[in-house]
Amino acid sequence: MITQTMVQPSSWVDSGITLRKVRNQYLFKFTDSLQARLDNLNERHKCDRLTDEEHAELAGLLELDRIFTLLNAKIIAEA
């Protein structure tokens, strides 16, 4: 098992998550500002220019993105 430090995905629940209507269904999405932060961290990660704290933040955001993908897939499948 690999241990990885990450920012807890739940830390963005109050300020970084929104529900958006997509084809008559409400799906979990990042707010525009949190999506921009994720995009920025991903770009900087490709250039190997992240601090340890930013690596932890990116790991948490990617985990939250995986959670949203699973939840949204369930919502769509049950519609």
Side-chain angles (χ1 to χ4, degrees):
M1 181 200 299
I2 297 173
T3 303
Q4 181 179 14
T5 302
M6 82 165 115
V7 173
Q8 290 296 316
S10 60
S11 67
W12 290 288
V13 168
D14 290 335
S15 62
I17 297 171
T18 187
L19 288 171
R20 291 202 182 137
K21 193 170 186 177
V22 178
R23 298 186 190 140
N24 296 322
Q25 294 177 323
Y26 286 93
L27 301 178
F28 293 96
K29 300 285 185 179
F30 289 148
T31 60
D32 292 339
S33 60
L34 191 58
Q35 183 64 52
R37 179 66 177 157
L38 174 60
D39 294 343
N40 177 269
L41 289 171
N42 269 325
E43 285 301 313
R44 293 183 55 223
H45 177 67
K46 290 176 189 176
C47 300
D48 198 30
R49 295 183 6 224
L50 293 180
T51 65
D52 290 342
E53 292 82 13
E54 290 169 328
H55 275 287
E57 183 180 3
L58 179 58
L61 285 169
L62 291 174
E63 179 64 16
L64 186 57
D65 188 51
R66 283 187 286 275
I67 292 167
F68 282 177
T69 298
L70 294 171
L71 289 173
N72 289 338
K74 284 185 171 243
I75 290 167
I76 292 167
E78 293 178 5

